[in-house]
Amino acid sequence: MATERKVQIKNADMDPVLQQEIVEVAKQAMDKHSTEREVANFIKKEMDKRDSPYWHVTVGRNFGCYVTHETKYFLYFNIDQLMVLCFKAG
């Protein structure tokens, strides 16, 4: 059974429906996997299947980044204590 997770969108250039889809995929990833790498891998592969490649995903507690992304395909949020950066480029 899935646990209730606290989600906060930090920055987004994305349709709200797609944002919610990514958040739900992230919740599934966290329920199934224990490491940040596995969570990121799950989200990336799932979004590549659902919305065509090329998704890039970074998951962690502390990281900095600066990326170029396709218009309307950028989401940065936290889920519980993890930060998730998810964007499409390529």
Side-chain angles (χ1 to χ4, degrees):
M1 183 172 173
T3 58
E4 189 62 32
R5 299 191 180 277
K6 183 181 176 195
V7 175
Q8 183 179 17
I9 304 297
K10 297 293 189 178
N11 193 350
D13 174 21
M14 183 177 286
D15 179 86
V17 173
L18 186 55
Q19 287 180 40
Q20 188 58 41
E21 182 177 351
I22 291 172
V23 167
E24 291 304 317
V25 169
K27 288 178 181 179
Q28 291 173 19
M30 291 178 70
D31 288 343
K32 292 180 179 183
H33 301 286
S34 58
T35 69
E36 294 164 358
R37 182 181 182 281
E38 291 171 327
V39 170
N41 187 42
F42 181 91
I43 296 168
K44 189 253 188 300
K45 286 184 176 180
E46 189 64 28
M47 291 312 299
D48 279 350
K49 281 191 287 189
R50 293 181 183 207
D51 195 59
S52 75
Y54 293 95
W55 285 93
H56 303 272
V57 181
T58 302
V59 175
R61 297 182 193 283
N62 185 16
F63 62 88
C65 64
Y66 187 85
V67 300
T68 301
H69 63 88
E70 292 181 24
T71 303
K72 300 293 183 191
Y73 286 98
F74 176 89
L75 183 61
Y76 179 58
F77 65 101
N78 70 298
I79 182 166
D80 294 339
Q81 300 300 313
L82 285 183
M83 300 305 298
V84 179
L85 171 65
C86 189
F87 64 97
K88 197 174 190 181

